[in-house]
Amino acid sequence: MNVLVTGGAGYIGSHACLRLLNDGHAVSVLDNFVNGHQQAIDVLQGLAEPGRLTFCEGDLRERDKVAALLEDRSIEVVMHFAALAEVGQSMGDPLLYHDNNFVGSLSLLQAMDRVGVRRLVFSSTCATYGEPDQTQIPIRETCPQRPINPYGASKLHVERLLADYAGSVPEFAYAALRYFNVAGSDPEGRIGEDHRPESHLIPICLQAALGKRDRMSIFGTDYPTPDGTCIRDYVHVVDLVDAHVHAMHALEPGDQRHYNIGIGKGHSVRECIDTAREVTGVDFEVVEAPRRPGDPPTLFACCDRIQEELGWTARYTDLTETVSTAWNWFSAHPNGYED
Ligand code: UDP
């Protein structure tokens, strides 16, 4: 298939490109390099069969450019990853988030509408659920969506936009995948995770192990959990991408699919730190710090729906394995991408 991957130079998008290329698809990437890396594209270009990967630098809000790309490359399906995804940043600059994530997605959909591209797999998030009542854990797709930050709100608005559009265009089909905490890297270490600044737990542990940070902090040790630290569902990026591929192949006209993507169990912050120490062999320094605003105590997914409907299930269910693949990347690229 001819697939457009928005945000294909970023962490998750580049892993999607790798998988799509391996599966024999023709991949077109659109990325504005706000969070993406040229070097990720270079690596992918080096792995792709001639002509199977094309790159366009641009922004989703450049609607004419996006429409031309869709038409020129005869795109059949879009995997839409391009987004800003820092909760803290979204609290400080909600307009930026709604413009980039919502207006960007609206513009993409308008371009798709103009040229008749009818299938979309959208990166949504468990942040659309906000702070679910702890009786609703594990979280099902039917859990009320009440985001508590502009990042989650911007993604929920896109889900609603997609539903409205699908209601008026019967041939349109979409899947919104609500990611839990994404972790790990290509097991061969060819591409990986490089956020600047980094805010995610597992990369921060690994940077501490590398000596890139003097120490790391646990944000909150007084949560109502067995060890007092927050519990999250860490899904491997390779499994996440596999869920996208399952969704892409399943889409039929009129489909409006919504799936949680996780491993269906949670790990505490302390468990992640212990695992990172074990995997790296480095006893990096950890300090206890106050809670981070907006962190619910426990979040993990129920993934029965995607398992039942699409036959997808996570294969990386062992945190040590997930952290090991991340460590392959971080230890070989202590400074991340060199661009
Ligand atoms: N966390 C932490 N120290 C850090 C980074 C994160 O204790 O340096 C905690 C954070 O408070 C949350 C969990 O680790 O409970 C996962 O955070 P992350 O930012 O990786 O993902 P989020 O759950 O916010 O999407």
Side-chain angles (χ1 to χ4, degrees):
M1 266 195 276
N2 296 330
V3 187
L4 173 65
V5 179
T6 75
Y11 167 47
I12 300 171
S14 60
H15 283 82
C17 292
L18 189 58
R19 167 65 189 269
L20 291 166
L21 291 167
N22 278 340
D23 287 0
H25 299 290
V27 177
S28 300
V29 171
L30 177 74
D31 201 294
N32 62 7
F33 285 134
V34 168
N35 286 319
H37 300 277
Q38 176 65 52
Q39 205 189 332
I41 298 298
D42 296 344
V43 171
L44 293 167
Q45 290 282 16
L47 295 167
E49 301 276 318
R52 301 304 278 179
L53 177 72
T54 55
F55 177 73
C56 173
E57 183 169 351
D59 192 281
L60 292 169
R61 289 159 292 192
E62 297 174 84
R63 198 176 311 133
D64 292 342
K65 189 179 201 171
V66 177
L69 179 64
L70 293 167
E71 206 156 44
D72 292 349
R73 303 294 303 168
S74 306
I75 297 298
E76 295 157 279
V77 56
V78 176
M79 283 195 187
H80 176 28
F81 298 95
L84 297 173
E86 286 294 324
V87 169
Q89 187 188 30
S90 81
M91 303 284 278
D93 198 345
L95 298 182
L96 176 72
Y97 270 66
H98 285 286
D99 187 31
N100 191 88
N101 294 356
F102 179 74
V103 178
S105 300
L106 173 63
S107 173
L108 169 65
L109 200 58
Q110 287 168 323
M112 291 172 64
D113 182 65
R114 194 191 297 171
V115 303
V117 177
R118 301 298 193 206
R119 276 178 286 183
L120 179 73
V121 183
F122 172 59
S123 302
S124 190
T125 169
C126 67
T128 60
Y129 296 117
E131 289 192 75
D133 181 329
Q134 294 296 298
T135 60
Q136 290 173 313
I137 309 286
I139 300 170
R140 294 179 179 274
E141 290 83 353
T142 47
C143 180
Q145 289 177 291
R146 298 191 196 105
I148 56 164
N149 53 59
Y151 166 62
S154 69
K155 290 285 185 171
L156 180 58
H157 291 156
V158 179
E159 285 199 18
R160 293 195 171 139
L161 167 68
L162 294 173
D164 285 346
Y165 179 66
S168 73
V169 179
E171 318 85 71
F172 182 64
Y174 74 91
L177 305 188
R178 297 178 188 150
Y179 309 172
F180 281 66
N181 290 57
V182 188
S185 297
D186 166 39
E188 294 181 44
R190 296 166 292 187
I191 52 174
E193 185 167 11
D194 181 353
H195 297 115
R196 299 179 196 187
E198 186 54 75
S199 67
H200 295 105
L201 177 63
I202 291 172
I204 283 177
C205 290
L206 300 180
Q207 288 175 347
L210 282 166
K212 294 276 159 197
R213 295 169 186 266
D214 294 339
R215 65 190 69 80
M216 63 156 300
S217 303
I218 301 180
F219 298 141
T221 53
D222 59 349
Y223 283 98
T225 59
D227 69 15
T229 66
C230 289
I231 292 176
R232 295 288 181 273
D233 183 332
Y234 295 90
V235 61
H236 198 287
V237 66
V238 165
D239 281 332
L240 173 71
V241 162
D242 186 48
H244 285 73
V245 171
H246 276 71
M248 175 178 88
H249 288 301
L251 285 179
E252 294 290 345
D255 277 355
Q256 299 185 40
R257 296 174 179 269
H258 304 89
Y259 298 118
N260 287 339
I261 312 294
I263 63 171
K265 64 180 179 189
H267 292 283
S268 72
V269 174
R270 286 197 201 278
E271 283 175 319
C272 292
I273 291 169
D274 289 346
T275 305
R277 283 177 165 161
E278 176 197 317
V279 166
T280 61
V282 182
D283 194 18
F284 52 85
E285 187 184 344
V286 175
V287 295
E288 296 186 2
R291 292 183 179 196
R292 195 172 65 175
D295 275 342
T298 302
L299 292 176
F300 59 92
C302 169
C303 300
D304 290 355
R305 183 187 281 181
I306 187 166
Q307 181 165 10
E308 282 159 18
E309 294 186 9
L310 304 187
W312 176 87
T313 186
R315 278 169 289 185
Y316 285 89
T317 52
D318 173 10
L319 186 63
T320 303
E321 243 189 301
T322 298
V323 173
S324 298
T325 66
W327 182 236
N328 284 348
W329 162 260
F330 277 97
S331 54
H333 304 85
N335 299 317
Y337 288 111
E338 300 292 344
D339 50 31

